[in-house]
Amino acid sequence: ITNPMEVLGTAFVVNKVMSPIFLACNFAYLRRGIVFRGKNRNAILNSNHIYACFDYGIHFEEGGDLHQINIVGNHISYCRKNIFSENHNIYNIQITGGDIETSSYPTLEIGGAAECDMHFLQTTAVLEDLEIVGNTIEDHWNTKVMIKLEGSTTSTDKISCVTISGNVTGNSAGSVIEIGGASGVEIVGQFKANRGYVVDVI
């Protein structure tokens, strides 16, 4: 699924679905790739290409609720945010064995710019049991943070039980991982050149 106009359209919206599986799909040059909306359960995304989406490759929309999702062996690149949870309740999420990169697309000429590889904005919703394991995560010197965990400013109960392990990351114009309002975070891995901190605790 692609769009020659580049900045319009969404490949799929998942809403009120039990056990959706996306296998070997190719989504490119859209506004968003896969959107999770409302209540869903037991999702699997495996061996997909999600490339050059003007906004988000995978978007967990505000107000949603998802239990169990495996994001395994995917190439997710050149989106403004490759994976974005926007105050979406998520319990048990594994992001493993993928190549996840930001770069110079979307371009400033069409009103866009890369912001981060993964952003979990959880100021009002819960994120529990997040694993980011065994991925290559690259930036190409375009963003100020590659992985952003943004919980509540008044508590640490919105983001908990996080493992970021066995990844290879590199080439951030800022920090690799930024954490605020989270508890129970374990970080192990290989970190190549970056211009900020490996871990920036806010």
Side-chain angles (χ1 to χ4, degrees), residues 13-17 35-41 59-67 86-90:
V13 175
V14 182
N15 186 18
K16 299 180 181 178
V17 179
V35 174
F36 287 88
R37 177 180 297 162
K39 183 178 287 190
N40 298 283
R41 293 290 183 269
H59 185 198
F60 301 94
E61 280 189 341
E62 186 170 10
D65 186 273
L66 174 62
H67 287 233
E86 187 177 16
N87 283 311
H88 193 111
N89 288 313
I90 304 177

Side-chain angles (χ1 to χ4, degrees), residues 12-82:
F12 276 92
V13 175
V14 182
N15 186 18
K16 299 180 181 178
V17 179
M18 173 68 94
S19 305
I21 299 174
F22 289 87
L23 175 64
C25 300
N26 195 328
F27 306 140
Y29 294 104
L30 302 161
R31 183 166 287 277
R32 295 185 294 177
I34 302 172
V35 174
F36 287 88
R37 177 180 297 162
K39 183 178 287 190
N40 298 283
R41 293 290 183 269
N42 308 338
I44 296 175
L45 282 61
N46 181 243
S47 302
N48 301 291
H49 290 280
I50 303 174
Y51 180 75
C53 291
F54 184 82
D55 280 337
Y56 316 124
I58 300 171
H59 185 198
F60 301 94
E61 280 189 341
E62 186 170 10
D65 186 273
L66 174 62
H67 287 233
Q68 292 83 240
I69 179 168
N70 299 330
I71 302 172
V72 181
N74 298 280
H75 167 229
I76 310 170
S77 291
Y78 287 42
C79 306
R80 183 157 67 94
K81 296 180 182 180
N82 292 311

Side-chain angles (χ1 to χ4, degrees), residues 67-151:
H67 287 233
Q68 292 83 240
I69 179 168
N70 299 330
I71 302 172
V72 181
N74 298 280
H75 167 229
I76 310 170
S77 291
Y78 287 42
C79 306
R80 183 157 67 94
K81 296 180 182 180
N82 292 311
I83 299 173
F84 181 35
S85 174
E86 187 177 16
N87 283 311
H88 193 111
N89 288 313
I90 304 177
Y91 304 87
N92 305 332
I93 172 172
Q94 294 80 38
I95 302 168
T96 63
D99 179 56
I100 303 172
E101 303 188 20
T102 53
S103 191
S104 56
Y105 185 89
T107 63
L108 291 172
E109 288 77 9
I110 60 172
E115 292 185 12
C116 60
D117 276 300
M118 292 179 245
H119 185 188
F120 296 91
L121 174 63
Q122 305 292 145
T123 53
T124 59
V126 172
L127 173 66
E128 287 184 359
D129 305 328
L130 165 64
E131 291 188 351
I132 302 171
V133 177
N135 303 280
T136 54
I137 305 170
E138 295 281 350
D139 184 11
H140 302 100
W141 310 109
N142 285 283
T143 70
K144 297 299 182 185
V145 61
M146 293 171 67
I147 301 170
K148 187 170 186 175
L149 303 176
E150 186 177 359

